[in-house]
Structures are given as structure tokens and as C-alpha cells.
Amino acid sequence: MSVISEILEYNQEFVKSKEYIQFFTDKYPSRHLAILSCMDARILDLLPRALGLKNGDAKLIKNAGAMVTHPWGSVMRSLLVAVFELQVNEIMVISHHDCGMRGLSAEEMLNKMRQAGISDERIETLRNAGIDLNSWLTGFERVEDSVRHSVEMIRKHPLMPDNIPVHGLVIHPTTGKLSMVVDGYQPNQKTHSKEAAQ
Ligand SMILES: [Zn+2]
């Protein structure tokens, strides 16, 4: 059976047996929290469990690497909507160890695209149109640096109010243990960073 058939079959039963009742909530997050995290499958359930979050507690935004790469992209827009429309007053950026975006190489990924049938010509056309594929497809070297960068992008965004604390954390994808990288209540202190511990 295909994945989609399995899911649709399960879903019918889920709705029929009213399993949804346990998830009742409204659109305003009861902990007034928005979290930007990674799409990694290991933290699909682990992340909310390890943080003690239940359905309705927080707005959860996910992408590859938990990265804010552009001030006017969909992540930043989602965070602003969360703050101004959905009563969020605290933000957490949570990346994780062993992330697929660490060390992601644009050249390797472009090669995989070529192997999948994307022509060199098409890639060149995009480059000639001014699309910087190399920086767009490059991940990060150190997860803590990436978290700090995303936190700064959010904190310094011209439309983000100064009174919204933005925390930066790293979660272990096996144990769920959190490490603080940026304390949003004291954003200029690097008290919890790896460098400070050394
Ligand atoms: Zn990841």
C-alpha cells in the first residue's frame, strides 16, 4: 500500500473514532510561544515532548536547519504573524546536533540534481538570471553559529518589537536534551555557548 493510501485509511478511522477530541484547542498558543525548528524527522514528536508542549501550546515553524535566511522570507513573515495576530510574546530558535544542513554543499546537491535529470543548461539559466544557487543551497558549519545568526535576524528585524525575547537553543536528536546558545532575556551574554564553557 502506498504511503498516501495508508495515511488516508488511518485518517478515516481517526476521525470516525473521534480521536481528535483529545487535541481540542484554539488558534492562540496557550504558552504564547513561537518556535522555529528543523524539519528533521527525529524531532517530529521528540521536540514537543522534550519541551513539555502539548497541542495548542505553541506555534511551530519548521524548515531545513531551523534557519532564518532572508528578512522577507516566509519564516520571518510567520513569526511576525505569530506576534501581531496570534498573541505570541516569546520566540525560540531550536536547531539540533547532527543536522543535515551542517556542511551541506551546493556543488554536491547540484550534482545530485544533474543526476536526476536537471540539465546544466537550466542551472546556468538560473545563474544567469541572478539566482545565487551556491549560497542558497549552502548550509552551515557550526550549529551554534547558525542559531545565533537566526536569532539575530529575528531580533534585529525592523518590524519585530524589541520586547519580544528570542532564545537560541540546540536539541539533541536522540535524548531531546536542550542546550542554551542565546538567552533571549540576556541576548548579549554568551553565557551558555560552547566557547564560554571552554
Ligand atoms: Zn536538521
Side-chain angles (χ1 to χ4, degrees), residues 38-40 42 63-66 95-96 98-101:
C38 181
M39 66 184 190
D40 194 291
R42 290 170 291 180
N63 69 13
S95 194
H96 65 99
D98 192 34
C99 182
M101 289 301 277

Side-chain angles (χ1 to χ4, degrees), residues 90-104:
E90 192 144 359
I91 295 171
M92 297 167 87
V93 175
I94 309 181
S95 194
H96 65 99
H97 297 293
D98 192 34
C99 182
M101 289 301 277
R102 198 192 71 75
L104 182 80

Side-chain angles (χ1 to χ4, degrees), residues 180-191:
M180 186 88 106
V181 178
V182 181
D183 179 347
Y185 299 134
Q186 297 171 320
N188 298 319
Q189 285 185 17
K190 291 186 176 180
T191 46

Side-chain angles (χ1 to χ4, degrees), residues 9-188:
E9 191 173 296
Y10 179 89
N11 178 255
Q12 270 194 338
E13 195 47 44
F14 179 90
V15 176
K16 202 172 130 197
S17 61
K18 297 190 177 171
E19 278 193 56
Y20 53 83
I21 287 170
Q22 61 186 308
F23 300 104
F24 273 168
T25 181
D26 65 31
K27 67 177 178 178
Y28 298 104
S30 44
R31 306 281 286 271
H32 301 283
L33 184 64
I35 297 170
L36 168 62
S37 189
C38 181
M39 66 184 190
D40 194 291
R42 290 170 291 180
I43 59 171
L44 177 76
D45 209 17
L46 179 68
L47 181 119
R49 295 291 185 97
L51 271 64
L53 296 174
K54 63 181 191 312
N55 207 45
D57 274 352
K59 294 285 164 189
L60 185 51
I61 302 151
K62 290 193 163 192
N63 69 13
M67 295 164 81
V68 183
T69 51
H70 199 286
W72 308 107
S74 68
V75 169
M76 206 54 238
R77 181 175 55 188
S78 301
L79 289 170
L80 290 167
V81 169
V83 167
F84 289 105
E85 300 288 341
L86 299 164
Q87 303 175 358
V88 160
N89 57 23
E90 192 144 359
I91 295 171
M92 297 167 87
V93 175
I94 309 181
S95 194
H96 65 99
H97 297 293
D98 192 34
C99 182
M101 289 301 277
R102 198 192 71 75
L104 182 80
S105 149
E107 270 318 310
E108 280 175 27
M109 196 157 154
L110 286 167
N111 278 336
K112 287 176 187 167
M113 290 174 183
R114 288 184 187 98
Q115 283 161 19
I118 308 292
S119 68
D120 274 327
E121 192 189 1
R122 199 185 289 179
I123 291 169
E124 272 318 296
T125 304
L126 292 171
R127 283 187 165 140
N128 292 337
I131 295 169
D132 185 351
L133 291 175
N134 279 57
S135 71
W136 192 54
L137 296 174
T138 295
F140 52 78
E141 285 309 311
R142 294 185 70 250
V143 66
E144 291 85 357
D145 294 340
S146 175
V147 167
R148 267 186 216 106
H149 179 256
S150 292
V151 166
E152 286 302 288
M153 292 275 284
I154 300 166
R155 276 185 63 216
K156 293 183 176 166
H157 195 280
L159 300 178
M160 184 58 73
D162 291 338
N163 63 343
I164 303 289
V166 186
H167 310 286
L169 300 105
V170 179
I171 190 168
H172 193 287
T174 308
T175 65
K177 182 180 167 42
L178 288 171
S179 311
M180 186 88 106
V181 178
V182 181
D183 179 347
Y185 299 134
Q186 297 171 320
N188 298 319

